[in-house]
Every structure is written in structure tokens, then in C-alpha cells.
Amino acid sequence: MIKVEWFYWLCGLFFVLIALQVVNDRSNPKRLGSAAFWGILGVSFGYGTFVVNKQAPAWLLGIAVIGLAVLAGSGFPGRGHEQTTTPAERVRFADRFGNKLFLPALVIPVVAATFGAWLAKVKVGNQLLLQSGSATIIGLGVASLLALAVGMLILKPKSPAVPLHEGRRLLEHIGWAAILPQMLATLGLLFNASGVGKAVGRVTDHLVPKGSLIAAVALYCIGMAVFTIIMGNAFAAFPVMTAAVGWPLLVEQFDGTPAIVFAIGMLAGFCGTLCTPMAANFNLVPAALLEMKDQYGPIKAQIPTAVPLLACNIALMYVFAF
């Protein structure tokens, strides 16, 4: 069986290598704290396997997460010397390779979709080829490695370490926000485990007119968008709103089709993603990478799309889920 843990270990190794690069970069005034940030993150990927298998205490991983938060709050990680191409070299490469530059990016969705839709069902003997429930993530990992190989074949860089240098450059531009999606998704699970979903459910009982399907659908979709705006991640909002409205009202009370209800509910949450600076990896990071004068420019451009799209999601769920 191909296990998803292998790709988590590979991610951890990548961050550890980044930490080693950073600690040796004398041009980075924050090199020690930055190296600690990426190193702790990398080791956590590997250590998490032992926590899941109940072979190691989870509290150490909790301390690591707190350590990451303290380092981020203290201004780490910082940026050092960039080993990359010049603007003139990039223009020359673009003219030389043309549309071939898009091939690595196109490999990723094609391979990931193949794994999720087809290889997820393949068995070797009596055992699934891919770890059950993780086919899409495994496919994403394999697709990323294949895309790296395709990029190396096309560009033929002088050093095999070029992808590592470019990975570090992008990470240092993004900073601590690189791990924000994981943090926010975990926050959603913690909210649900602490009973926030049930508390929200009690509030919604007073807001939704008894027997009104359209009101329940609107509340779920708008709630997904609002919680996503607050938490910055639709995956974090999903367990809260689903426990409060999605399952008890739309599925159990109104007999909605779970797959349609929850899929469109996530799309409603993504409408909130377009409107919030909390979704830093979607909205603030691109502004920083593109060196935009207005760091909130992406959000301002996306709101006119997000609002009517939310209304469309409400209509789609009302029509097709019941």
C-alpha cells in the first residue's frame, strides 16, 4: 500500500532542508529564528506519524505548534539572500520555452484527478493500492514530484538544488502565512470539539422560521461565508456550520442529499475566502509576491464576484439538494 505518510515525511524533509539553508545564510539577520521556525515545522511532519500511531506523546507536538506561533508573533521567519534568476533571464527563458512553461503546472491536476478518480479503486491482491481515504492527497504528492521532474527536464537547470533554492525564496516571501491553512483547519475542528457548533445551532433555532427550507439553506450558506471570513478558511468553518445547520436541519429535517448540501456549502464558504484578509495565502500573499501597491487589491477585485456567487450557491442548493 502506498501511504500518505510518505508524502508527509517528504514535506518534513523539505522544510528541514530549508532550515539548514537558512541557518547557513549569513545575509539573513533573522537566520537563527527563521531556521528554528522551518526546522520545527519539518520535524513536526515526521513526529506526527508517531503521535497518530500512539507511539509518542501528543503534548510535544502541541509545544511545537505553540513555538511556531511564538516565533511568528516575534517576526520570524525573515528573508535572506535570494538565489534566483534576474528579470532579464526570465524574459529570455519565457521567449525560449513559450507555452512549455505551463506543462509542470498542468501535470499536477491531471495526475491528482487520475489518482482520485481511478487509482483509488485499484487493488493489488486483496489490498487497495493507495491508502484508503487518502487517494487524492497521495495523487497530489505524486503529481508534484512528476511536475518537478517535468520542469527539470524542460529547463535543465545547472544545479539540482535550484528547486530547493526557489522553494526557499517563495517560502520566505510568504513567511508564516504558509502554514495558516493548516492552523485554521485545525481551529475549525477544535471549535467543533468544544461545542461551538452546538451553540451556534441553538442560536439558529431562533433565527430560522419553522419549516422554512429557503431560510435554512440561506442561513447555512451565508453562515459558511461569514465563518470563513472570520476564520480565513472554509475548511475551518465547515465543521462548525455543518454541526449547527447542515446536518440537523438540511439533512435530517429536510431530507437533503448530503453530497450536494455539503459540496455547495463548501463553495459558499469559498465565497467568504474571496473577501477576507484572514485567508492570507489566497489574498495577502499574492499581493506581496506581485508587489502590488494595495495589499487588499485582490479582495477588492474579488468581492463583486463573491457576492453574486454566494446567491447562486443558495439557489443551486435549494433547487438540486432536496
Side-chain angles (χ1 to χ4, degrees):
M1 179 194 295
I2 300 176
K3 297 183 178 181
V4 69
E5 291 294 330
W6 301 348
F7 297 95
Y8 292 152
W9 297 342
L10 187 60
C11 289
L13 177 61
F14 169 75
F15 287 120
V16 169
L17 292 175
I18 293 297
L20 292 175
Q21 275 194 329
V22 172
V23 80
N24 289 310
D25 182 6
R26 300 289 179 177
S27 69
N28 188 343
K30 298 182 177 180
R31 65 188 184 91
L32 295 180
S34 300
F37 183 92
W38 300 121
I40 291 172
L41 180 61
V43 172
S44 298
F45 271 86
Y47 184 79
T49 298
F50 299 100
V51 173
V52 172
N53 294 333
K54 301 188 183 304
Q55 297 173 334
W59 61 269
L60 284 174
L61 197 57
I63 291 177
V65 172
I66 293 173
L68 290 174
V70 171
L71 286 169
S74 302
F76 299 100
R79 292 166 59 178
H81 175 69
E82 293 185 355
Q83 298 185 43
T84 187
T85 54
T86 64
E89 288 175 323
R90 293 173 193 170
V91 171
R92 188 169 70 252
F93 285 145
D95 293 337
R96 176 182 173 186
F97 295 106
N99 289 332
K100 290 181 180 179
L101 294 173
F102 291 100
L103 287 177
L106 294 175
V107 165
I108 294 178
V110 171
V111 174
T114 300
F115 270 73
W118 180 60
L119 290 180
K121 304 173 185 177
V122 173
K123 291 186 176 181
V124 177
N126 294 323
Q127 192 175 31
L128 287 170
L129 174 64
L130 307 179
Q131 183 177 341
S132 179
S134 301
T136 303
I137 300 178
I138 293 172
L140 181 60
V142 173
S144 298
L145 294 176
L146 288 176
L148 173 61
V150 170
M152 295 288 281
L153 288 173
I154 294 175
L155 298 175
K156 295 181 175 61
K158 296 179 180 179
S159 169
V162 166
L164 191 62
H165 294 312
E166 286 298 315
R168 174 194 165 192
R169 181 179 67 84
L170 289 175
L171 276 179
E172 289 187 336
H173 272 283
I174 298 171
W176 60 264
I179 63 172
L180 190 60
Q182 294 94 318
M183 293 289 192
L184 292 175
T186 304
L187 180 62
L189 295 175
L190 291 175
F191 271 28
N192 190 47
S194 62
V196 174
K198 293 180 180 179
V200 174
R202 288 193 292 270
V203 173
T204 58
D205 285 341
H206 300 287
L207 297 177
V208 179
K210 296 298 181 182
S212 175
L213 174 60
I214 185 62
V217 169
L219 181 63
Y220 181 53
C221 292
I222 294 173
M224 277 293 300
V226 170
F227 262 86
T228 300
I229 289 173
I230 295 171
M231 304 171 77
N233 193 305
F235 292 100
F238 184 76
V240 175
M241 288 307 301
T242 298
V245 181
W247 186 263
L249 284 182
L250 299 182
V251 175
E252 290 190 331
Q253 182 174 329
F254 292 106
D255 297 320
T257 304
I260 300 176
V261 169
F262 300 144
I264 297 178
M266 284 297 293
L267 290 176
F270 296 150
C271 293
T273 302
L274 298 174
C275 304
T276 176
M278 285 296 292
N281 54 315
F282 284 97
N283 298 328
L284 299 186
V285 169
L289 293 178
L290 296 174
E291 299 180 352
M292 296 176 62
K293 294 180 180 179
D294 184 359
Q295 64 172 334
Y296 300 113
I299 297 175
K300 295 175 181 177
Q302 290 163 178
I303 288 177
T305 298
V307 174
L309 186 58
L310 178 60
C312 289
N313 285 325
I314 294 173
L316 289 171
M317 185 181 295
Y318 182 75
V319 172
F320 292 107
F322 304 93

